């Protein structure tokens, strides 16, 4: 009798390993890109405040930025950018497996800081957009606001799942909250990639253009969809599914690296 070879289980184990490697590769690229964003925020916004020259924050064009006489709006603006830095920095730490496993107390405290900062960054973002009126245009304001509303939803769901001890559900919602919190960073990566892609054709991307608005919505919808694909792929019984998503993640790691380098070179570097 010919022995049966458990081919599919081996292929499945191998493809799941490939999926984890691809996810880790993309994550390493994302960490570098997100911390470059954090470094920009700290290095650009801190000196004007320390030197008592807040108007210097407007050297880089903002929608409103620092407006003399608007104490509440300025407080929200400055709070928003530093909360943005905090949430971007602390979000990355939550996803490092070694930190979660070896220093679970750090994971819990950093998780609380991440969630509170995410809520406050979103609420100050709502204030800037809808009370202060800092909008590029209505569609992009709606896109960022939907992103912000979903941050509130998934942070609350992740918090509730952790509170109830349902760690598998907590992980799924926390991953969604994390990509949504990074919607503004994905937006910058997307703008850079679209700019690089369109430049050879001599096309300029205005804030009202279909390309910009498409990138604006895609900056949070696509990452959210990719998290879902990743979660499905991790549990799929067919090796082809994790293999396909792993391939996609390797491709995205390359694109993300290109967008992040371009953001440092063209968007942030010139203002430091
Ligand atoms: C939670 C993640 C968020 C982060 C990390 C973040 C980060 C930032 C940063 C760094 C800036 C300064 C712009 C620059 O110099 O490039 C900014 C500006 C702004 N953000 Fe956010 N943001 C977040 C969420 C939101 C949300 C959800 C909204 C809207 C509901 C929003 C609305 C705004 C507005 C309107 C400005 C422009 C202010 C101006 O130019 O006067 N943000 N954000």
């Amino acid at each position: 009798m010919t022995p049966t070879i458990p081919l599919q289980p081996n292929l499945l184990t191998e493809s799941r390993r490939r999926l984890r490697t691809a996810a880790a590769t993309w994550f390493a690229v994302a960490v570098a890109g997100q911390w470059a964003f954090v470094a920009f925020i700290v290095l650009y916004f801190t000196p004007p405040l320390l030197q008592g020259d807040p108007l210097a924050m407007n050297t880089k064009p903002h929608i409103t930025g620092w407006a003399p006489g608007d104490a509440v709006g300025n407080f929200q603006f400055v709070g928003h950018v530093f909360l943005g830095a905090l949430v971007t920095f602390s979000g990355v730490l939550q996803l490092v497996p070694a930190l979660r496993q070896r220093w679970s107390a750090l994971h819990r405290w950093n998780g609380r800081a991440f969630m509170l900062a995410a809520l406050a960054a979103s609420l100050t973002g709502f204030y800037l957009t809808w009370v202060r009126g800092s909008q590029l245009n209505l569609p992009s304001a709606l896109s960022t606001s939907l992103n912000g509303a979903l941050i509130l939803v998934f942070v609350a769901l992740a918090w509730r799942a952790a509170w109830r001890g349902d760690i598998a559900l907590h992980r799924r919602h926390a991953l969604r909250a994390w990509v949504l919190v990074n919607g503004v960073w994905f937006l910058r990566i997307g703008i850079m990639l679209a700019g690089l892609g369109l430049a050879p054709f001599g096309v300029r991307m205005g804030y009202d253009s279909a390309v910009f608005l498409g990138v604006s919505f895609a900056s949070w919808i696509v990452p959210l969809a990719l998290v879902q694909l990743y979660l499905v792929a991790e549990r799929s019984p067919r090796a082809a599914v994790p293999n396909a998503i792993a391939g996609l993640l390797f491709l995205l790691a390359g694109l993300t690296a290109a967008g992040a380098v371009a953001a440092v070179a063209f968007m942030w570097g010139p203002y430091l």
Side-chain angles (χ1 to χ4, degrees):
M1 201 173 84
T2 325
T4 48
I5 303 165
L7 189 60
Q8 181 66 9
N10 285 344
L11 282 179
L12 195 56
T13 310
E14 184 52 40
S15 65
R16 283 182 180 161
R17 192 174 305 131
R18 198 168 294 133
L19 178 66
R20 277 198 299 276
T21 307
T25 305
W26 178 81
F27 180 67
V29 172
V31 172
Q34 289 175 9
W35 282 4
F37 185 38
V38 173
F40 162 72
I41 296 173
V42 173
L43 293 175
Y44 177 79
F45 287 99
T46 312
L49 289 174
L50 293 182
Q51 289 154 12
D53 180 20
L55 271 174
M57 285 190 276
N58 293 351
T59 311
K60 177 182 184 294
H62 298 296
I63 306 175
T64 308
W66 184 275
D70 180 10
V72 177
N74 291 335
F75 180 72
Q76 301 274 341
F77 174 68
V78 173
H80 180 77
V81 295
F82 285 105
L83 284 164
L86 175 63
V87 82
T88 308
F89 180 80
S90 63
V92 159
L93 297 181
Q94 288 306 91
L95 271 79
V96 178
L99 284 188
R100 266 201 319 272
Q101 286 146 15
R102 275 188 234 152
W103 290 292
S104 59
L106 175 66
H107 178 75
R108 283 198 298 277
W109 279 105
N110 187 56
R112 288 177 191 122
F114 169 79
M115 289 184 178
L116 288 175
L119 296 180
S122 301
L123 294 177
T124 49
F126 286 134
Y127 179 92
L128 294 174
T129 308
W130 299 107
V131 180
R132 202 185 209 197
S134 301
Q135 301 184 6
L136 290 169
N137 50 49
L138 188 59
S140 78
L142 284 174
S143 170
T144 330
S145 299
L146 277 170
N147 184 353
L150 287 173
I151 291 173
L152 302 184
V153 169
F154 283 108
V155 162
L157 289 173
W159 199 318
R160 192 177 67 161
W163 185 258
R164 292 181 174 175
D166 188 342
I167 299 308
L169 186 64
H170 167 69
R171 174 179 175 260
R172 292 202 292 278
H173 287 322
L175 275 176
R176 293 177 183 121
W178 180 70
V179 289
L180 286 163
V181 155
N182 283 296
V184 294
W185 176 76
F186 286 120
L187 174 63
R188 283 148 177 81
I189 300 297
I191 291 171
M192 286 293 117
L193 290 178
L196 291 176
L198 292 176
F201 305 101
V203 180
R204 291 195 63 233
M205 185 175 48
Y207 286 127
D208 288 323
S209 67
V211 177
F212 178 79
L213 297 177
V215 171
S216 180
F217 279 91
S219 67
W220 54 272
I221 293 174
V222 171
L224 203 52
L226 284 167
V227 166
Q228 202 54 38
L229 280 178
Y230 180 77
L231 293 174
V232 168
E234 301 186 292
R235 291 196 295 183
S236 169
R238 293 174 54 230
V241 179
N243 274 338
I245 303 304
L248 182 60
L249 283 172
F250 279 125
L251 174 70
L252 289 173
L255 286 174
T256 307
V261 169
V264 171
F266 304 121
M267 209 179 242
W268 304 322
Y271 294 101
L272 293 178

